[in-house]
Coordinates of all heavy atoms in Angstrom, one line a residue:
M59 N 0.8 -1.2 0.0 CA 0.0 0.0 0.0 C 0.9 1.2 0.0 O 2.1 1.2 0.4 CB -0.9 0.0 1.2 CG -0.2 0.0 2.6 SD -1.4 -0.3 3.9 CE -0.2 -0.5 5.3
N60 N 0.3 2.3 -0.4 CA 1.1 3.5 -0.6 C 1.0 4.5 0.6 O 1.8 5.4 0.7 CB 0.7 4.3 -1.9 CG 1.7 5.4 -2.2 OD1 2.9 5.2 -2.1 ND2 1.1 6.5 -2.5
R61 N 0.0 4.3 1.5 CA -0.2 5.2 2.6 C -0.3 4.4 3.9 O -0.7 3.3 3.9 CB -1.5 6.0 2.4 CG -1.4 7.0 1.3 CD -2.7 7.5 1.0 NE -2.6 8.5 0.0 CZ -2.4 9.8 0.3 NH1 -2.4 10.2 1.5 NH2 -2.3 10.7 -0.7
A62 N 0.2 5.1 5.0 CA 0.1 4.5 6.3 C -0.1 5.6 7.3 O 0.2 6.8 7.0 CB 1.3 3.6 6.6
L63 N -0.6 5.2 8.4 CA -0.9 6.2 9.5 C 0.2 6.0 10.6 O 0.5 4.9 10.9 CB -2.3 5.9 10.1 CG -2.9 7.0 10.9 CD1 -3.2 8.2 10.1 CD2 -4.2 6.4 11.5
C64 N 0.7 7.1 11.1 CA 1.6 7.0 12.2 C 0.9 7.4 13.5 O 0.4 8.5 13.5 CB 2.8 7.9 11.9 SG 4.2 7.6 13.1
L65 N 0.9 6.5 14.4 CA 0.0 6.7 15.6 C 0.1 7.8 16.6 O -0.9 8.4 17.0 CB -0.1 5.3 16.4 CG -1.0 4.3 15.8 CD1 -1.0 3.1 16.7 CD2 -2.4 4.9 15.6
P66 N 1.3 8.2 16.9 CA 1.4 9.2 18.0 C 0.6 10.5 17.7 O 0.0 11.0 18.5 CB 2.9 9.5 18.1 CG 3.6 8.4 17.5 CD 2.7 7.8 16.5
N67 N 0.6 10.9 16.4 CA -0.1 12.1 16.1 C -1.1 11.9 14.9 O -1.5 12.9 14.3 CB 0.9 13.2 15.7 CG 2.0 12.7 14.8 OD1 1.8 11.6 14.2 ND2 3.0 13.5 14.5
N68 N -1.3 10.7 14.6 CA -2.3 10.4 13.5 C -1.9 11.0 12.2 O -2.7 11.5 11.4 CB -3.7 10.8 13.8 CG -4.4 9.7 14.7 OD1 -3.8 8.6 14.9 ND2 -5.5 10.0 15.2
R69 N -0.6 11.1 11.9 CA -0.1 11.7 10.7 C -0.1 10.7 9.6 O 0.3 9.5 9.8 CB 1.4 12.2 10.9 CG 2.2 12.5 9.7 CD 1.9 13.9 9.2 NE 3.0 14.5 8.5 CZ 3.3 14.3 7.2 NH1 2.6 13.6 6.5 NH2 4.4 15.0 6.7
E70 N -0.7 11.1 8.4 CA -0.7 10.1 7.3 C 0.5 10.4 6.4 O 0.8 11.5 6.1 CB -2.0 10.4 6.5 CG -2.3 9.4 5.5 CD -3.6 9.7 4.7 OE1 -4.5 10.1 5.3 OE2 -3.6 9.4 3.5
W71 N 1.2 9.3 6.1 CA 2.4 9.4 5.3 C 2.2 8.6 4.0 O 1.5 7.5 4.0 CB 3.5 8.7 6.0 CG 4.0 9.4 7.2 CD1 3.6 9.1 8.5 CD2 4.9 10.5 7.3 NE1 4.2 10.0 9.3 CE2 5.1 10.8 8.6 CE3 5.7 11.2 6.3 CZ2 5.9 11.8 9.1 CZ3 6.5 12.2 6.8 CH2 6.6 12.5 8.1
T72 N 2.7 9.1 2.9 CA 2.9 8.3 1.7 C 4.2 7.6 1.8 O 5.1 8.1 2.5 CB 2.8 9.1 0.4 OG1 3.9 9.9 0.3 CG2 1.5 9.9 0.3
A73 N 4.4 6.5 1.1 CA 5.7 5.8 1.2 C 6.8 6.7 0.7 O 7.9 6.6 1.2 CB 5.6 4.5 0.4
E74 N 6.5 7.5 -0.3 CA 7.5 8.4 -0.9 C 8.0 9.4 0.2 O 9.2 9.7 0.4 CB 7.1 9.1 -2.1 CG 7.0 8.2 -3.4 CD 5.7 7.3 -3.4 OE1 4.8 7.6 -2.6 OE2 5.7 6.4 -4.2
E75 N 7.0 10.0 0.8 CA 7.3 11.0 1.9 C 8.1 10.3 3.0 O 9.1 10.9 3.5 CB 6.0 11.5 2.5 CG 5.3 12.5 1.7 CD 3.9 12.9 2.3 OE1 3.5 12.1 3.2 OE2 3.4 13.9 1.9
F76 N 7.7 9.2 3.4 CA 8.3 8.5 4.5 C 9.8 8.1 4.2 O 10.7 8.2 5.0 CB 7.5 7.2 4.9 CG 7.8 6.7 6.2 CD1 7.3 7.3 7.3 CD2 8.7 5.6 6.4 CE1 7.5 6.9 8.6 CE2 9.0 5.2 7.7 CZ 8.4 5.8 8.8
S77 N 10.0 7.7 2.9 CA 11.3 7.3 2.5 C 12.3 8.5 2.4 O 13.5 8.4 2.4 CB 11.3 6.6 1.2 OG 11.1 7.5 0.1
S78 N 11.7 9.8 2.4 CA 12.6 10.9 2.3 C 13.0 11.5 3.6 O 13.7 12.4 3.7 CB 11.9 12.0 1.4 OG 10.8 12.5 2.1
L79 N 12.5 10.9 4.7 CA 12.8 11.3 6.0 C 14.3 11.0 6.4 O 14.8 10.0 5.8 CB 11.9 10.7 7.1 CG 10.4 11.1 7.1 CD1 9.7 10.1 8.1 CD2 10.3 12.5 7.5
A80 N 14.9 11.7 7.3 CA 16.2 11.4 7.7 C 16.1 10.0 8.5 O 15.1 9.8 9.2 CB 16.7 12.4 8.7
P81 N 17.1 9.1 8.3 CA 17.0 7.8 8.9 C 16.7 7.8 10.3 O 15.9 6.9 10.8 CB 18.4 7.2 8.5 CG 18.8 7.9 7.3 CD 18.2 9.3 7.4
P82 N 17.2 8.6 11.2 CA 16.9 8.5 12.6 C 15.4 8.8 12.9 O 14.8 8.1 13.7 CB 17.8 9.6 13.3 CG 18.8 9.9 12.3 CD 18.3 9.7 10.9
R83 N 14.9 9.8 12.2 CA 13.5 10.1 12.3 C 12.6 8.9 11.8 O 11.6 8.5 12.5 CB 13.2 11.3 11.5 CG 11.7 11.7 11.5 CD 11.5 13.0 12.2 NE 10.1 13.2 12.6 CZ 9.2 13.8 11.8 NH1 9.6 14.3 10.6 NH2 7.9 13.9 12.1
R84 N 13.0 8.4 10.7 CA 12.3 7.3 10.1 C 12.3 6.1 11.1 O 11.3 5.4 11.3 CB 12.9 6.9 8.8 CG 12.0 6.1 7.9 CD 12.6 6.1 6.5 NE 13.8 5.4 6.4 CZ 14.6 5.6 5.3 NH1 14.4 6.4 4.4 NH2 15.8 4.9 5.3
D85 N 13.4 5.8 11.7 CA 13.5 4.7 12.6 C 12.6 4.9 13.8 O 12.0 3.9 14.3 CB 15.0 4.5 13.1 CG 15.8 3.8 12.0 OD1 15.2 3.4 11.0 OD2 17.0 3.8 12.1
S86 N 12.5 6.1 14.3 CA 11.7 6.3 15.5 C 10.2 6.2 15.2 O 9.4 5.9 16.0 CB 12.0 7.6 16.1 OG 11.5 8.7 15.4
L87 N 9.8 6.5 13.9 CA 8.4 6.5 13.5 C 8.0 5.1 13.0 O 6.8 4.8 13.1 CB 8.2 7.5 12.5 CG 8.3 9.0 12.9 CD1 8.1 9.9 11.6 CD2 7.3 9.3 14.0
K88 N 8.9 4.3 12.5 CA 8.4 3.2 11.7 C 7.8 2.1 12.6 O 7.0 1.3 12.1 CB 9.5 2.6 10.9 CG 10.6 1.9 11.6 CD 11.7 1.4 10.6 CE 12.8 0.7 11.3 NZ 13.9 0.4 10.4
R89 N 8.1 2.1 13.9 CA 7.4 1.1 14.7 C 6.0 1.5 15.1 O 5.3 0.7 15.7 CB 8.2 0.9 16.0 CG 9.4 0.0 15.9 CD 10.4 0.1 17.0 NE 11.0 1.4 17.0 CZ 11.8 1.9 17.9 NH1 11.9 1.3 19.0 NH2 12.4 3.1 17.8
R90 N 5.6 2.6 14.7 CA 4.2 3.1 15.1 C 3.3 3.2 13.9 O 2.3 3.8 13.9 CB 4.3 4.5 15.7 CG 5.1 4.4 17.0 CD 5.6 5.7 17.5 NE 6.4 5.6 18.6 CZ 7.1 6.6 19.1 NH1 6.9 7.8 18.6 NH2 7.8 6.5 20.2
L91 N 3.7 2.6 12.8 CA 2.9 2.7 11.6 C 1.8 1.7 11.6 O 2.0 0.5 12.0 CB 3.8 2.5 10.3 CG 4.8 3.5 10.0 CD1 5.8 3.0 9.0 CD2 4.2 4.8 9.6
V92 N 0.6 2.1 11.2 CA -0.5 1.1 11.0 C -1.3 1.4 9.7 O -1.2 2.5 9.1 CB -1.5 1.3 12.2 CG1 -0.9 0.9 13.5 CG2 -2.1 2.6 12.3
C93 N -2.1 0.4 9.3 CA -2.9 0.6 8.2 C -4.0 1.7 8.4 O -4.6 1.7 9.5 CB -3.6 -0.8 7.8 SG -4.9 -0.6 6.6
L94 N -4.3 2.5 7.4 CA -5.3 3.5 7.6 C -6.6 3.0 7.8 O -7.4 3.7 8.5 CB -5.3 4.3 6.3 CG -4.2 5.3 6.0 CD1 -4.2 5.7 4.5 CD2 -4.3 6.5 6.9
D95 N -7.0 1.9 7.3 CA -8.3 1.4 7.5 C -8.5 0.4 8.6 O -9.3 0.6 9.5 CB -8.8 0.7 6.2 CG -10.3 0.3 6.3 OD1 -11.1 1.2 6.3 OD2 -10.6 -0.9 6.3
C96 N -7.7 -0.7 8.6 CA -8.0 -1.7 9.6 C -7.1 -1.6 10.9 O -7.3 -2.3 11.9 CB -7.8 -3.1 9.0 SG -6.1 -3.6 8.7
G97 N -6.1 -0.7 10.8 CA -5.3 -0.5 12.0 C -4.2 -1.6 12.2 O -3.5 -1.6 13.3
A98 N -4.1 -2.5 11.2 CA -3.0 -3.6 11.4 C -1.7 -2.9 11.4 O -1.5 -1.9 10.7 CB -3.1 -4.5 10.2
R99 N -0.7 -3.5 12.1 CA 0.6 -3.0 12.1 C 1.2 -3.0 10.7 O 1.1 -4.0 10.0 CB 1.4 -3.8 13.1 CG 2.8 -3.3 13.2 CD 3.4 -3.5 14.5 NE 4.7 -2.9 14.3 CZ 5.9 -3.6 14.5 NH1 5.8 -4.8 14.9 NH2 7.0 -3.0 14.3
A100 N 1.8 -1.9 10.3 CA 2.4 -1.8 9.0 C 3.9 -1.6 9.1 O 4.4 -1.1 10.1 CB 1.8 -0.6 8.3
I101 N 4.6 -2.1 8.1 CA 6.0 -1.9 8.0 C 6.4 -1.2 6.8 O 5.7 -1.2 5.8 CB 6.8 -3.3 8.1 CG1 6.3 -4.2 6.9 CG2 6.7 -4.0 9.4 CD1 7.2 -5.4 6.7
F102 N 7.5 -0.5 6.8 CA 8.0 0.3 5.7 C 9.0 -0.5 5.0 O 9.9 -1.0 5.6 CB 8.5 1.6 6.2 CG 9.2 2.4 5.1 CD1 8.4 3.0 4.1 CD2 10.5 2.5 5.0 CE1 9.0 3.7 3.0 CE2 11.1 3.3 4.0 CZ 10.3 3.8 3.0
Q103 N 8.9 -0.5 3.7 CA 9.9 -1.2 2.9 C 10.5 -0.2 2.0 O 9.8 0.4 1.1 CB 9.3 -2.4 2.1 CG 10.4 -3.2 1.5 CD 9.8 -4.5 0.9 OE1 9.0 -4.5 0.0 NE2 10.2 -5.6 1.5
S104 N 11.8 0.1 2.1 CA 12.4 1.2 1.3 C 12.6 0.7 -0.1 O 12.5 -0.5 -0.4 CB 13.8 1.6 2.0 OG 14.6 0.4 2.2
A105 N 12.9 1.7 -0.9 CA 13.0 1.4 -2.4 C 14.2 0.5 -2.7 O 15.2 0.6 -2.0 CB 13.2 2.7 -3.1
G106 N 13.9 -0.3 -3.7 CA 15.0 -1.2 -4.1 C 15.4 -0.7 -5.5 O 14.9 0.3 -6.0
R107 N 16.2 -1.4 -6.2 CA 16.7 -1.0 -7.5 C 15.6 -0.8 -8.5 O 15.6 0.1 -9.3 CB 17.7 -2.0 -8.1 CG 19.1 -1.5 -8.1 CD 20.0 -2.4 -8.9 NE 20.0 -3.7 -8.4 CZ 20.6 -4.7 -9.0 NH1 21.3 -4.5 -10.0 NH2 20.6 -5.9 -8.5
R108 N 14.6 -1.7 -8.4 CA 13.5 -1.6 -9.4 C 12.2 -1.5 -8.7 O 11.2 -2.0 -9.2 CB 13.5 -2.7 -10.4 CG 14.8 -2.6 -11.2 CD 14.6 -3.5 -12.4 NE 14.6 -4.9 -12.1 CZ 14.5 -5.9 -12.9 NH1 14.5 -5.7 -14.2 NH2 14.4 -7.2 -12.5
R109 N 12.2 -1.0 -7.5 CA 11.0 -1.1 -6.7 C 10.8 0.3 -5.9 O 11.7 0.8 -5.4 CB 11.1 -2.2 -5.6 CG 9.8 -2.5 -4.9 CD 10.1 -3.5 -3.8 NE 11.1 -2.9 -2.8 CZ 12.0 -3.7 -2.2 NH1 12.1 -4.9 -2.3 NH2 12.8 -3.1 -1.3
R110 N 9.5 0.8 -6.0 CA 9.3 2.0 -5.3 C 9.1 1.6 -3.8 O 8.8 0.5 -3.5 CB 7.9 2.6 -5.8 CG 8.1 3.2 -7.2 CD 6.7 3.1 -7.9 NE 5.6 3.7 -7.1 CZ 5.3 5.0 -7.1 NH1 5.9 5.8 -7.9 NH2 4.3 5.4 -6.4
P111 N 9.3 2.6 -2.9 CA 9.0 2.3 -1.5 C 7.6 2.1 -1.2 O 6.7 2.7 -1.9 CB 9.5 3.6 -0.8 CG 9.4 4.7 -1.8 CD 9.7 4.0 -3.1
V112 N 7.3 1.1 -0.3 CA 5.9 0.8 0.0 C 5.8 0.5 1.5 O 6.7 0.3 2.2 CB 5.4 -0.5 -0.8 CG1 5.2 -0.2 -2.2 CG2 6.3 -1.7 -0.5
F113 N 4.5 0.5 1.9 CA 4.2 0.0 3.3 C 3.5 -1.3 3.1 O 2.8 -1.6 2.1 CB 3.2 0.9 3.9 CG 3.7 2.3 4.2 CD1 3.2 3.4 3.6 CD2 4.7 2.5 5.2 CE1 3.7 4.7 3.9 CE2 5.2 3.7 5.5 CZ 4.7 4.8 4.8
R114 N 3.8 -2.2 4.0 CA 3.1 -3.5 3.9 C 2.5 -3.8 5.3 O 3.0 -3.4 6.3 CB 4.1 -4.6 3.6 CG 4.8 -4.5 2.3 CD 5.7 -5.7 2.0 NE 6.5 -5.4 0.8 CZ 6.0 -5.6 -0.4 NH1 4.8 -6.0 -0.6 NH2 6.8 -5.3 -1.5
A115 N 1.4 -4.6 5.3 CA 0.7 -4.9 6.5 C -0.1 -6.2 6.3 O -0.4 -6.6 5.2 CB -0.2 -3.8 6.9
S116 N -0.3 -6.9 7.5 CA -1.2 -8.1 7.5 C -2.6 -7.5 7.8 O -3.0 -7.5 8.9 CB -0.7 -9.1 8.5 OG 0.5 -9.6 8.2
H117 N -3.3 -7.2 6.7 CA -4.6 -6.6 6.9 C -5.6 -7.5 7.4 O -5.6 -8.7 7.2 CB -5.1 -6.0 5.6 CG -4.2 -5.0 5.0 ND1 -4.2 -3.7 5.4 CD2 -3.2 -5.1 4.0 CE1 -3.3 -3.0 4.7 NE2 -2.7 -3.8 3.9
R118 N -6.6 -7.0 8.1 CA -7.8 -7.8 8.5 C -8.6 -8.1 7.3 O -8.5 -7.4 6.3 CB -8.6 -7.0 9.5 CG -8.0 -6.9 10.8 CD -9.1 -6.6 11.8 NE -8.5 -5.7 12.8 CZ -9.2 -4.7 13.4 NH1 -10.5 -4.6 13.2 NH2 -8.7 -4.0 14.3
K119 N -9.4 -9.1 7.4 CA -10.2 -9.6 6.3 C -11.1 -8.5 5.7 O -11.3 -8.5 4.5 CB -11.1 -10.8 6.7 CG -10.7 -12.1 6.1 CD -11.7 -13.2 6.3 CE -11.4 -13.9 7.6 NZ -12.3 -14.9 8.0
D120 N -11.6 -7.7 6.5 CA -12.6 -6.7 6.0 C -11.9 -5.4 5.7 O -12.6 -4.4 5.5 CB -13.8 -6.5 7.0 CG -13.2 -6.2 8.3 OD1 -12.0 -6.2 8.6 OD2 -14.1 -5.9 9.2
C121 N -10.6 -5.3 5.6 CA -9.9 -4.0 5.4 C -10.2 -3.5 4.0 O -10.1 -4.2 3.0 CB -8.4 -4.2 5.6 SG -7.5 -2.7 5.2
A122 N -10.6 -2.2 3.9 CA -10.9 -1.6 2.6 C -9.7 -1.3 1.8 O -9.8 -1.1 0.6 CB -11.7 -0.3 2.9
V123 N -8.5 -1.3 2.3 CA -7.3 -1.0 1.6 C -7.0 -2.1 0.6 O -6.5 -1.9 -0.5 CB -6.1 -0.8 2.5 CG1 -4.8 -0.7 1.8 CG2 -6.3 0.5 3.3
V124 N -7.4 -3.4 0.9 CA -7.1 -4.5 0.0 C -8.4 -5.0 -0.6 O -9.4 -5.3 0.1 CB -6.4 -5.6 0.8 CG1 -4.9 -5.3 1.0 CG2 -7.1 -6.0 2.1
A125 N -8.4 -5.1 -1.9 CA -9.6 -5.6 -2.6 C -9.7 -7.1 -2.3 O -8.7 -7.8 -2.3 CB -9.4 -5.3 -4.1
P126 N -10.9 -7.6 -2.1 CA -11.1 -9.0 -1.9 C -10.5 -9.9 -2.9 O -10.0 -11.0 -2.6 CB -12.6 -9.2 -1.9 CG -13.2 -7.8 -1.6 CD -12.2 -6.8 -2.1
A127 N -10.5 -9.5 -4.2 CA -10.0 -10.3 -5.3 C -8.5 -10.6 -5.1 O -8.1 -11.6 -5.7 CB -10.2 -9.6 -6.6
W128 N -7.8 -9.9 -4.3 CA -6.4 -10.1 -4.2 C -6.1 -11.3 -3.3 O -5.1 -11.9 -3.3 CB -5.7 -8.9 -3.7 CG -5.5 -7.9 -4.8 CD1 -6.3 -7.0 -5.2 CD2 -4.4 -7.9 -5.7 NE1 -5.8 -6.3 -6.3 CE2 -4.6 -6.8 -6.6 CE3 -3.2 -8.6 -5.8 CZ2 -3.7 -6.5 -7.7 CZ3 -2.3 -8.3 -6.9 CH2 -2.6 -7.2 -7.8
G129 N -7.1 -11.6 -2.4 CA -7.0 -12.8 -1.6 C -5.6 -13.1 -0.9 O -5.2 -12.4 -0.1
V130 N -4.9 -14.1 -1.5 CA -3.7 -14.5 -0.9 C -2.6 -13.5 -0.9 O -1.6 -13.6 -0.3 CB -3.1 -15.8 -1.5 CG1 -4.1 -17.0 -1.2 CG2 -2.9 -15.6 -3.0
F131 N -2.8 -12.5 -1.8 CA -1.8 -11.4 -1.9 C -2.0 -10.3 -0.9 O -1.3 -9.3 -1.0 CB -1.7 -10.9 -3.3 CG -1.4 -11.9 -4.4 CD1 -2.4 -12.3 -5.3 CD2 -0.1 -12.5 -4.4 CE1 -2.1 -13.3 -6.2 CE2 0.2 -13.4 -5.3 CZ -0.8 -13.8 -6.2
R132 N -2.9 -10.5 0.0 CA -3.2 -9.5 1.0 C -2.0 -8.9 1.6 O -1.8 -7.7 1.8 CB -4.2 -10.0 2.0 CG -4.6 -9.0 3.0 CD -5.9 -9.5 3.7 NE -7.0 -9.5 2.9 CZ -7.9 -10.5 2.7 NH1 -7.7 -11.6 3.4 NH2 -8.9 -10.4 2.0
F133 N -1.1 -9.8 2.0 CA 0.1 -9.3 2.8 C 1.0 -8.4 1.9 O 1.7 -7.6 2.4 CB 0.9 -10.5 3.3 CG 2.0 -10.0 4.2 CD1 1.8 -9.6 5.5 CD2 3.3 -9.9 3.7 CE1 2.8 -9.2 6.3 CE2 4.3 -9.5 4.5 CZ 4.1 -9.1 5.8
L134 N 0.9 -8.6 0.6 CA 1.8 -7.8 -0.3 C 1.3 -6.4 -0.6 O 2.1 -5.7 -1.2 CB 2.0 -8.6 -1.5 CG 2.5 -10.0 -1.4 CD1 2.6 -10.8 -2.7 CD2 3.9 -10.0 -0.8
Q135 N 0.1 -6.1 -0.2 CA -0.4 -4.8 -0.6 C 0.2 -3.7 0.2 O 0.4 -3.8 1.3 CB -1.9 -4.8 -0.4 CG -2.7 -5.6 -1.4 CD -2.6 -5.1 -2.8 OE1 -3.0 -4.0 -3.0 NE2 -2.0 -5.9 -3.6
Ligands
ZN225 ZN1 -5.7 -2.7 6.4

């Protein structure tokens, strides 16, 4: 997913914004990221050679962020 919520102040981040933070700040915030909809704990995955930065989470079944059709790929969203 491209967006996540950071809990202490309910700040919404896009993965691109989050990846541009200074590493110390990013480290202190990344343990508090959750999915915008279901509140599942989210992790940040920084950009790779051919990959944009993303957030990943183990969403709840009824989470609106993941379309039902994706099923087994839920964790990858
Ligand atoms: Zn979710």
Side-chain angles (χ1 to χ4, degrees):
M59 60 187 173
N60 189 45
R61 290 166 176 271
L63 196 65
C64 191
L65 277 183
N67 49 10
N68 280 353
R69 165 82 150 88
E70 189 180 324
W71 294 94
T72 66
E74 286 80 12
E75 284 172 344
F76 200 79
S77 72
S78 68
L79 293 172
R83 176 112 198 271
R84 199 162 69 198
D85 283 349
S86 73
L87 292 177
K88 70 182 181 187
R89 276 165 292 169
R90 297 164 186 173
L91 294 168
V92 296
C93 171
L94 285 165
D95 186 68
C96 73
R99 182 146 180 239
I101 56 167
F102 173 71
Q103 189 169 67
S104 52
R107 251 192 304 175
R108 295 196 295 183
R109 192 187 59 213
R110 290 152 51 91
V112 289
F113 294 112
R114 297 185 189 281
S116 296
H117 299 280
R118 287 199 218 150
K119 246 190 272 182
D120 55 352
C121 177
V123 170
V124 286
W128 283 88
V130 294
F131 299 111
R132 183 164 286 134
F133 186 78
L134 303 174
Q135 290 293 299

